[in-house]
Amino acid sequence: MAEQASRARYRELIKDFKPDSGHLLHALHTIQHHFGYIPNDAVPVVAQQLGMQTAKVFGAITFYAEFRTSPPPRTEINWCSGPACRLKGGDNIRRAMESVLGFGVEGTTADGTAGMHLQQCDGSCEYAPLVWVRSFTGHADGADATLQDERGVVHGLLTVPAAIELARVIKSREGSA
Amino acid sequence: MTAYDVLRQQANTAWQSYLRPQRTRLDVSVATCSHAAGVYDTLAALADAVRTRNLPVDIATTGCNGFCFLEPLVTVSRPDGLRVLYGPVHAEDVADLLDQALTGICARLAAGVVNGDSDRAAQLADHPFMKHQVRRLMANCGVINPEDIDHYLARGGYEGLARAVAMTDEAVIQQTLASGLWGRGGAAFPAGRKWDFLRGARNKPKYLVCNADEGDPGAFVNRILLESDPHLIIEGMAIAAQATGAEYGYLYIRDEYPLAVERCRHAIDQARAKGLLGANILGSDLTYDMEVVRGAGAYVCGEETGLLSSIEDSRGMPRIKPPFPANAGVFGLPTNVNNVETYANAPMIFRESAEWYRQYGTEKNPGTKMFSFTGDITRVGCVEVPFATKMGDLIRDNFGGTPDGRPVKAIQSGGPLAGIIPGKYIDLPLEPEPFREQGVLMGGGGIIVCDDTTCIVDMVQYFEWFAEDESCGRCTTCHGGTQRHVEILRRIQEGKGRVSDIQLMELINDSLRWSNCFHGQGAPAAVQSLLRHFRDELMTHIRDKRCPAQQCAALIRYEVVRGREHDADPSAAICPTNAIRQHDDGRYFVDDARCIRCDACRQLQPDVLAVTDAVAPPRPAGMPVAAGG
């Protein structure tokens, strides 16, 4: 029953998208926006709606770095991999945070509550080096995502000690690795 | 009165009251850069203070004017006509701002006077950051509310489109050709000729695509336009539609720019509501509409055929050319792909004229170009200058040089696939040819400045990692070649480099050039720069196992400065791996096996911890390199 209900929900969300109209990215973004990720059982629903093979939809999902196939952690450190951050010690920040948290980029704690994600530069380089911390609690179903939702809280001009303190706070709040 | 005059007249009324408000208005710059600076805290503090003090003040938003280093920016517009830009205005500065700026000038925070005169603050136009600049594309950035089409209209917006729709498609192409506008994405192909290809295509419908997948890390010129003046791009695309007969357009924006997606979608809805998109635009025969497509994180979609694949419901894999997009683009139909800034130039060419457009720049490279500078500079931001402006003038004057006045060691323009030039080329004129002569690309406008604390081997390893990570995977030359580059460079960074690696990297570069698209073809550039311009530094890594900039983790170690062995308590507390340990007598030492070289201790206690080379000084000349080396 629950499975049927979620399928009906996917179908409802993407009902306006059509085959051969360039709607795949729209549909996938819509699903991810509402669920925080693209659940496995949403893939055939998208494929059916857009008249595509399931494999092709799945192939597209895995091609793009920002589509998720599992639920996001409650708290996620988005580490900026850009060159301006790197020039200012961004890679040192990554190594230090990974040591504190006990997992690497794209990893999570054992219970999945905290994670780290590699981000591409968005040009906020005046505050390099930076990470932004996103929180995925209580996804606002139906609402347009704002810059704040999408980007979370930016921790800019980070020193390595400050990054370590930040990782320690997140670790103590979100349980152990 | 024409349909355009009606729109313009309505807009003028709105704009006049915006410029000279009945009561003071605070325009807060909301853009991705201001978000990083904490603009939402500033906005909350402003709203709170205005409410509790019961001030007769309105709060509105604007875009970014390129002064990213002064974000969060607040423009105070008063009924007496005085407009002053303040920044950075953090939440804790709000009280000062409201105390002083509503009646006088808050000198501590003033960046410059935008409109009117004051003897207490300089004109914004005299700010060092404004030197050498000619703001045409950026004329509205930070000046108008990007979410209000009336502001755009009142500033001459859509006037170019109104003129273009009264012209034949051929005349529009002729005027574009006469302006000398060429594509800003990197290839520098004349826009008029590209548009003419699409005009001549037989199949219908025809499409326009705007490449706003600004993926070069460290570049943000397109973002400034998308977030701060979205109608400029919409108008430019509508003019291109008149020239080419395209009926529909896709504005493809990268996933990392959510605010740009939001503002462009909003702007398209507004334009449609005013009859500036849709059927019979401004009462003419032109029928054109468009939508925003949001990417999902794939650099290779910035390659034009990768972009087309991505729009068409699939993985963003670049295709084999020919056929070129003008014949078979989106959905196999004729398509024109241009960069954001290319389309954004069109409105002024038609609002003014081709001759007017050519007032700046050079014969070959007319007009202006936006550049974002980042890295080791004092003021990070975005400028617009005529072509052939000396890069060094901008770095020294506008961007305030390197933070500690250190020498510029290297400059990277045009993205990770474009190569790196040494600091001695700092005064290259900003136009494509001089860069090409040095074997690099000027590119889309993102420029990264590196001072002498930078390890070039590490930066090249980063660029190759980026190329590998973002390779679509089709060509073995590309995904395999970049992977090998990363392996070799990382090995060199670990002190296991071999002299034969040089030959190997040259071989990989030769094979990378046979890749299908520019991603693989451009991937050798960074390594080529390393071999050509920074060979000494590379050889020091390979032969001496030493990183001159002391950045490569495996080639450095940390130690407690002698005589300060009792002072390392804070460092021991911050160390994430407990590598700073105590002898029985309480003296601290660094346990090298545990140390991950994160630099936290030295940042905290620079006089207690020191970094040194991990290996002994170079062996005497003539001594053989160790086995395997």
Side-chain angles (χ1 to χ4, degrees):
Chain A
M1 276 311 284
E3 196 182 315
Q4 276 179 358
S6 59
R7 279 176 175 250
R9 181 81 185 103
Y10 306 142
R11 211 166 284 131
E12 168 65 21
L13 282 170
I14 60 168
K15 65 177 179 344
D16 294 332
F17 300 124
K18 296 182 190 68
D20 301 322
S21 308
H23 284 168
L24 178 64
L25 285 175
H26 289 296
L28 295 176
H29 275 302
T30 305
I31 302 268
Q32 176 153 308
H33 176 61
H34 284 79
F35 294 91
Y37 71 113
I38 299 167
N40 233 330
D41 58 352
V43 179
V45 179
V46 172
Q48 195 184 23
Q49 178 71 29
L50 300 180
M52 295 168 66
Q53 289 168 336
T54 310
K56 224 184 154 197
V57 175
F58 196 73
I61 293 169
T62 55
F63 182 83
Y64 298 98
E66 297 305 324
F67 286 135
R68 298 165 191 269
T69 52
S70 55
R74 193 160 54 199
T75 302
E76 186 177 72
I77 298 165
N78 286 241
W79 171 74
C80 178
S81 62
C85 285
R86 194 177 185 91
L87 286 174
K88 293 172 191 251
D91 209 45
N92 291 340
I93 283 170
R94 176 184 61 78
R95 285 201 307 279
M97 290 184 108
E98 285 176 349
S99 294
V100 174
L101 295 165
F103 54 81
V105 170
E106 308 305 343
T108 63
T109 48
D111 62 356
T113 51
M116 202 163 165
H117 178 52
L118 185 145
Q119 273 288 357
Q120 296 298 344
C121 174
D122 71 0
S124 312
C125 307
E126 80 277 15
Y127 274 75
L130 53 83
V131 300
W132 50 100
V133 178
R134 290 176 71 180
S135 125
F136 288 92
T137 47
H139 221 79
D141 199 350
D144 274 346
T146 65
L147 185 63
Q148 281 169 290
D149 299 332
E150 297 259 2
R151 281 322 205 202
V153 179
V154 182
H155 296 263
L157 299 175
L158 262 184
T159 61
V160 182
I164 291 170
E165 298 290 4
L166 177 64
R168 284 176 179 163
V169 168
I170 290 169
K171 189 180 178 180
S172 67
R173 197 175 62 205
E174 297 293 355
S176 60
Chain B
M1 234 171 38
T2 64
Y4 176 74
D5 292 337
V6 175
L7 292 178
R8 181 74 175 263
Q9 208 168 54
Q10 290 164 352
N12 282 343
T13 318
W15 176 247
Q16 283 312 317
S17 65
Y18 178 82
L19 266 190
R20 220 187 167 91
Q22 294 287 310
R23 52 188 229 166
T24 298
R25 194 186 63 250
L26 309 177
D27 293 309
V28 182
S29 158
V30 176
T32 299
C33 40
S34 38
H35 177 224
V39 69
Y40 291 106
D41 295 336
T42 302
L43 273 170
L46 273 174
D48 195 49
V50 166
R51 193 173 51 243
T52 49
R53 294 189 194 189
N54 203 14
L55 294 170
V57 163
D58 295 312
I59 298 171
T61 55
T62 179
C64 174
N65 66 354
F67 283 63
C68 303
F69 60 98
L70 286 182
E71 296 279 6
L73 290 159
V74 179
T75 311
V76 178
S77 301
R78 300 202 317 222
D80 59 9
L82 188 69
R83 267 190 118 185
V84 181
L85 179 72
Y86 293 97
V89 183
H90 294 287
E92 59 269 26
D93 303 312
V94 161
D96 272 7
L97 183 76
L98 293 176
D99 284 344
Q100 298 163 27
L102 303 185
T103 48
I105 295 274
C106 180
R108 178 174 75 83
L109 299 171
V113 177
V114 184
N115 272 339
D117 281 307
S118 166
D119 48 11
R120 301 213 34 232
Q123 291 288 316
L124 188 67
D126 296 332
H127 193 286
F129 192 72
M130 292 302 287
K131 224 177 155 188
H132 312 294
Q133 289 209 56
V134 175
R135 291 202 163 195
R136 288 172 154 190
L137 293 159
M138 290 179 76
N140 286 337
C141 293
V143 177
I144 64 165
N145 180 345
E147 296 178 12
D148 192 334
I149 190 172
D150 279 341
H151 290 186
Y152 181 74
L153 278 162
R155 301 263 299 169
Y158 291 105
E159 193 180 326
L161 177 63
R163 286 173 199 247
V165 295
M167 297 161 69
T168 64
D169 54 355
E170 211 175 339
V172 174
I173 301 255
Q174 282 310 320
Q175 186 155 336
T176 310
L177 282 171
S179 73
L181 172 67
W182 48 255
R184 302 293 196 242
F189 193 81
R193 278 183 60 198
K194 211 168 180 180
W195 293 3
D196 205 27
F197 291 150
L198 186 65
R199 188 176 74 98
R202 292 259 173 87
N203 284 349
K204 284 183 179 175
K206 300 175 188 176
Y207 290 94
L208 295 177
V209 171
C210 177
N211 185 346
D213 192 57
E214 186 177 41
D216 292 344
F220 50 94
V221 297
N222 292 347
R223 177 172 63 70
I224 298 275
L225 281 184
L226 293 161
E227 289 181 346
S228 305
D229 200 12
H231 285 287
L232 191 64
I233 299 140
I234 297 167
E235 185 186 354
M237 290 183 77
I239 291 170
Q242 172 69 8
T244 59
E247 289 171 28
Y248 202 78
Y250 292 100
L251 172 51
Y252 187 99
I253 302 178
R254 72 195 282 244
D255 185 66
E256 289 81 354
Y257 291 173
L259 184 67
V261 171
E262 189 184 306
R263 286 201 173 142
C264 288
R265 284 194 173 139
H266 180 74
I268 288 170
D269 289 344
Q270 284 183 328
R272 202 179 287 126
K274 295 255 185 203
L276 294 160
L277 286 176
N280 304 107
I281 290 172
L282 292 170
S284 73
D285 292 336
L286 176 64
T287 293
Y288 169 76
D289 209 332
M290 58 187 286
E291 67 177 273
V292 170
V293 177
R294 181 175 180 177
Y299 176 73
V300 78
C301 292
E303 199 280 339
E304 65 175 4
T305 59
L307 191 73
L308 300 176
S309 300
S310 183
I311 293 171
E312 278 179 32
D313 294 348
S314 73
R315 298 162 70 88
M317 311 269 281
R319 305 169 185 179
I320 292 163
K321 288 191 272 192
F324 289 92
N327 292 319
V330 193
F331 310 114
L333 288 159
T335 303
N336 176 72
V337 187
N338 275 133
N339 173 268
V340 169
E341 205 180 327
T342 316
Y343 285 122
N345 269 289
M348 68 171 106
I349 292 168
F350 289 86
R351 188 185 67 233
E352 308 292 339
S353 68
E355 295 71 42
W356 178 90
Y357 184 78
R358 285 179 165 276
Q359 281 171 2
Y360 289 100
T362 63
E363 177 61 28
K364 203 163 180 205
N365 301 304
T368 54
K369 173 85 189 78
M370 289 168 69
F371 291 95
S372 62
F373 278 69
T374 179
D376 293 323
I377 47 172
T378 311
R379 295 187 278 260
V380 170
C382 181
V383 296
E384 181 183 355
V385 292
F387 277 110
T389 301
K390 268 191 196 170
M391 179 162 60
D393 285 345
L394 295 181
I395 293 174
R396 287 181 291 262
D397 300 339
N398 300 48
F399 298 101
T402 54
D404 306 312
R406 305 189 74 98
V408 173
K409 179 173 179 177
I411 296 162
Q412 199 263 332
S413 63
L417 309 175
I420 306 168
I421 47 172
K424 68 178 176 190
Y425 295 116
I426 188 169
D427 281 321
L428 282 188
L430 286 163
E431 49 188 341
E433 296 82 4
F435 282 77
R436 221 176 285 138
E437 276 165 29
Q438 297 308 325
V440 296
L441 295 174
M442 184 189 79
I447 292 179
I448 302 159
V449 180
C450 310
D451 69 15
D452 64 350
T453 60
T454 310
C455 172
I456 300 298
V457 178
D458 185 62
M459 283 316 274
V460 170
Q461 186 264 121
Y462 161 75
F463 290 127
E464 291 303 324
W465 164 80
F466 184 87
E468 181 208 350
D469 198 48
E470 298 292 345
S471 170
C472 85
R474 188 198 294 276
C475 307
T476 307
T477 46
C478 175
H479 71 82
T482 51
Q483 196 179 353
R484 285 295 286 135
H485 267 327
V486 173
E487 284 168 10
I488 293 167
L489 288 162
R490 288 201 173 147
R491 188 158 46 68
I492 291 171
Q493 288 190 282
E494 283 163 10
K496 295 170 190 158
R498 308 162 193 154
V499 177
S500 58
D501 285 338
I502 307 247
Q503 231 183 334
L504 200 51
M505 286 195 283
E506 277 168 351
L507 185 69
I508 294 165
N509 272 357
D510 285 344
S511 54
L512 270 165
R513 292 197 181 89
W514 294 95
S515 306
N516 166 46
C517 82
F518 185 74
H519 192 87
Q521 292 161 13
V527 168
Q528 204 57 52
S529 304
L530 178 66
L531 296 176
R532 178 170 165 192
H533 297 300
F534 302 96
R535 200 178 271 247
D536 286 351
E537 188 172 350
L538 177 65
M539 291 317 287
T540 307
H541 281 74
I542 292 177
R543 283 217 171 98
D544 307 339
K545 320 295 177 200
R546 207 166 61 78
C547 173
Q550 296 190 320
Q551 296 291 333
C552 295
L555 301 180
I556 54 171
R557 62 189 171 85
Y558 283 78
E559 57 184 25
V560 181
V561 174
R562 202 180 286 193
R564 307 298 305 267
E565 290 101 330
H566 291 280
D567 301 336
D569 284 353
S571 291
I574 201 70
C575 179
T577 57
N578 294 320
I580 300 174
R581 299 166 63 196
Q582 275 172 303
H583 292 294
D584 291 343
D585 62 1
R587 287 182 303 124
Y588 281 103
F589 69 101
V590 178
D591 182 344
D592 194 56
R594 289 188 183 190
C595 176
I596 57 164
R597 281 87 167 148
C598 72
D599 206 40
C601 53
R602 194 170 62 134
Q603 290 183 12
L604 206 59
Q605 295 187 284
D607 50 345
V608 178
L609 274 298
V611 65
T612 67
D613 294 332
V615 291
R619 61 179 68 78
M623 242 177 96
V625 181

